[in-house]
Amino acid sequence: MRLVVVFALVALIAAAAASGIAYWINRDAVLTRAQNAALNDFRESLGDHAGSLPHRPTCDALRDAAGTMANSTQRYEVVLTDRQGDGRACEAASDPDFTLADVPAELRTAVHEKRPVDASNPAPYHLYWQRITLFGEPYLVGGATVIGDGPTGYMFKSLAPERDDLNSLAWSLGIATALALVGSALLAQAAATTVLRPVQRLGDAARRLGEGRLDTRLQVSGTDELAELSRTFNGAAEALEKRVAELSAREESSRRFVADMSHELRTPLTAITAVTEVLEDEVDSLDPMIAPAVRLVVSETRRLNDLVENLMEVTRFDAGTAKLVLDDVDVADQVTACIDARAWLDAVELDADRGIMARLDPRRLDVILANLIGNALKHGGSPVRVSVRTRKSTTGAAGEDELVIRVADHGPGIPEEVLPHVFDRFYKASASRPRSEGSGLGLSIALENAHIHGGGITAENAPEGGAVFTLRLPRDASRVAPDRDGDGGGAGVDADTGTDEENER
């Protein structure tokens, strides 16, 4: 549309300018030719007929001379004036409709003005003319005085034929301008078809490619620059598709490797765990030199078991196989059960009203709470305060309630440079602490569990000090993510060991 408008404006301006110039040139030529012919004829006729009249002619003689002068091929009317022998002024016209009063006063004054005769002015009187509108029609009025105290004559030449010719020319130029405007619009449309539409198709293809439709291709025809651009786009899209396919295959292979490795590790870990449990029961009766090594083996075995479980859970999230097993739960009871199962009752303050029901996956909610509360206890400061509230959702459907659980500690808070990375996998805030009891996956798993419910988790520092993790979940996850509601979700992280020390402050 912009191209059509620009073409139309340019064509309109150019055509209007050309038509205007042509009109004024032709108008000047037509009027000049018509008035020169009429004035020259009037000058000759005035000299031949009025100049041959006797001194102080009668009115009848002036009338006859006026009629004879008007009988010309130029078809103009004549008015002659002079004084008779008795001194009275006489006005004679070839047509009674034209009188001396119709002649402009400025023209009459100029006609009667006598100029000094010298080398540059050979005649005392001159012929003057003026274009006027008379009876609603354009007229050329000319006047002159016969040299030697002769009569004064005035000519009325109608310019109606010239006006009609110029109007016809104006209409022709207007039609030509309109045709030029239409032609420019058609030309712009043709340009849009041949240039802009391929560019638009290229933009649409790029948009589809950006949306992930890597099989998008453009139909190429011709050998111009746009065709070459389309070929380049197709080549880039093909290379991108191959590259993404390779990366997807590698990622799938990596996920499969992690999953297979985790499954393969579970069998020996089960046996090792059983042995370590026996050793842990007998640690008090062991040699004091051996007991520390046994405790270290027990601790690292549990840590390795937690890591394997976490890796399996992460693999499910990455593969998109994690499912929700929804149930109606009392949120306050669920939080209390999570705290009680881990013997955190003395270190955690709970601010939650009984009876706040939500349809969620209880096991995944327990994993989220265990990670957030355990992380607060480990890296923050006691007491940890857990509050449960409900409010209208600001991101979901209108009128939908959401569950808001805040976990606040009394520690030093989270450094600003660490805040954007607290949910990253295996992120360590300090390189000086490469080893810890956590797997570095707890907070990221908590966030994935929140996402699968259709919610989220945010981390911030409270103004009065300490870190605050805010969990937002819909009270009915079946409306937010119905496709994720399944009969089983596989094993998840152990709620006792799902905390995330590696994502430390």
Side-chain angles (χ1 to χ4, degrees):
M1 181 58 66
R2 290 195 299 269
L3 185 65
V4 172
V5 171
V6 169
F7 266 66
L9 287 177
V10 171
L12 179 62
I13 294 172
S19 299
I21 294 173
Y23 177 80
W24 285 107
I25 291 176
N26 282 275
R27 179 180 182 275
D28 185 68
V30 168
L31 293 178
T32 300
R33 183 173 61 251
Q35 73 183 21
N36 287 344
L39 292 174
N40 289 336
D41 185 82
F42 174 69
R43 180 187 292 109
E44 294 179 1
S45 181
L46 183 63
D48 292 341
H49 297 88
S52 61
L53 292 174
H55 186 67
R56 298 290 187 263
T58 63
C59 281
D60 292 336
L62 286 175
R63 193 173 296 108
D64 293 339
T68 303
M69 292 174 61
N71 190 19
S72 168
T73 56
Q74 293 297 320
R75 305 180 64 83
Y76 51 73
E77 303 299 333
V78 178
V79 174
L80 295 177
T81 63
D82 200 357
R83 289 191 178 276
Q84 302 180 76
D86 56 4
R88 290 182 300 172
C90 178
E91 177 183 334
S94 60
D95 188 334
D97 292 336
F98 296 92
T99 64
L100 186 61
D102 296 325
V103 179
E106 298 87 352
L107 181 61
R108 284 181 288 175
T109 301
V111 167
H112 288 97
E113 183 180 357
K114 187 174 182 180
R115 298 175 179 272
V117 177
D118 52 26
S120 61
N121 182 40
Y125 298 101
H126 293 268
L127 174 64
Y128 295 93
W129 61 269
Q130 185 177 348
R131 286 196 290 265
I132 65 171
T133 299
L134 190 62
F135 313 127
E137 297 287 339
Y139 275 87
L140 173 66
V141 180
T145 298
V146 177
I147 299 174
D149 199 19
T152 299
Y154 296 97
M155 171 203 70
F156 293 87
K157 165 66 176 175
S158 175
L159 297 177
E162 286 74 15
R163 178 202 58 191
D164 295 339
D165 291 342
L166 291 175
N167 288 341
S168 178
L169 175 63
W171 273 105
S172 300
L173 292 175
I175 294 173
T177 301
L179 292 177
L181 192 61
V182 173
S184 67
L186 295 177
L187 180 62
Q189 186 65 30
T193 302
T194 57
V195 179
L196 296 184
R197 286 186 181 175
V199 173
Q200 183 179 10
R201 288 195 294 268
L202 179 61
D204 294 339
R207 191 177 302 109
R208 292 196 299 271
L209 190 67
E211 293 171 354
R213 299 169 60 180
L214 301 180
D215 59 343
T216 301
R217 298 294 186 273
L218 288 171
Q219 184 177 358
V220 182
S221 61
T223 58
D224 56 6
E225 290 81 0
L226 287 174
E228 184 63 28
L229 180 60
S230 299
R231 292 189 184 93
T232 303
F233 175 85
N234 289 341
E238 183 177 358
L240 179 62
E241 185 178 18
K242 291 181 180 178
R243 183 62 177 168
V244 170
E246 293 176 0
L247 293 176
S248 298
R250 293 179 183 178
E251 183 180 3
E252 178 63 26
S253 177
S254 298
R255 285 199 300 264
R256 189 180 302 277
F257 171 76
V258 173
D260 293 343
M261 180 188 66
S262 301
H263 281 288
E264 292 298 327
L265 287 175
R266 293 188 71 181
T267 300
L269 275 176
T270 301
I272 295 174
T273 301
V275 173
T276 56
E277 288 177 353
V278 173
L279 291 175
E280 187 179 19
D281 292 338
E282 301 294 333
V283 68
D284 293 335
S285 61
L286 295 176
D287 189 307
M289 299 296 293
I290 301 176
V294 172
R295 292 190 181 93
L296 178 61
V297 170
V298 171
S299 174
E300 291 301 313
T301 301
R302 288 177 176 173
R303 182 170 178 268
L304 181 59
N305 188 69
D306 294 342
L307 178 60
V308 171
E309 294 293 339
N310 286 343
L311 286 175
M312 293 180 65
E313 186 75 356
V314 168
T315 303
R316 293 189 189 97
F317 285 125
D318 290 343
T321 59
K323 300 293 182 180
L324 291 177
V325 182
L326 300 180
D327 195 7
D328 294 324
V329 297
D330 187 309
V331 179
D333 290 343
Q334 185 73 19
V335 176
T336 301
C338 174
I339 298 172
D340 184 52
R342 293 158 181 82
W344 291 340
L345 289 174
D346 294 337
V348 178
E349 296 179 357
L350 177 61
D351 179 13
D353 296 331
R354 304 290 177 179
I356 300 178
M357 303 300 295
R359 184 166 182 77
L360 303 168
D361 187 329
R363 184 186 67 82
R364 295 188 183 278
L365 178 59
D366 183 77
V367 170
I368 298 173
L369 294 173
N371 278 287
L372 296 181
I373 299 174
N375 189 75
L377 289 171
K378 187 174 297 183
H379 302 294
S382 297
V384 172
R385 181 178 179 84
V386 180
S387 61
V388 180
R389 299 288 185 271
T390 59
R391 68 180 183 186
K392 295 296 181 182
S393 175
T394 58
T395 57
E400 184 180 80
D401 288 341
E402 69 176 1
L403 185 67
V404 180
I405 302 177
R406 289 168 54 89
V407 178
D409 60 47
H410 289 76
I414 306 174
E416 292 297 328
E417 67 274 9
V418 176
L419 270 176
H421 306 286
V422 292
F423 296 105
D424 293 350
R425 296 176 183 176
F426 299 108
Y427 178 76
K428 297 180 181 180
S430 175
S432 63
R433 300 185 62 187
R435 288 181 55 81
S436 62
E437 295 180 2
S439 64
L441 295 172
L443 287 181
S444 64
I445 290 176
L447 182 62
E448 293 290 349
N449 279 303
H451 285 167
I452 203 174
H453 281 87
I457 306 176
T458 58
E460 60 184 347
N461 289 315
E464 62 274 10
V468 179
F469 286 83
T470 304
L471 169 65
R472 298 182 310 280
L473 297 175
R475 292 189 66 177
D476 188 355
S478 61
R479 292 200 302 267
V480 178
D483 57 322
R484 294 174 177 172
D485 188 1
D487 295 328
V493 296
D494 191 332
D496 287 318
T497 60
T499 57
D500 187 2
E501 184 179 358
E502 301 300 342
N503 295 333
E504 56 187 330
R505 321 284 166 78

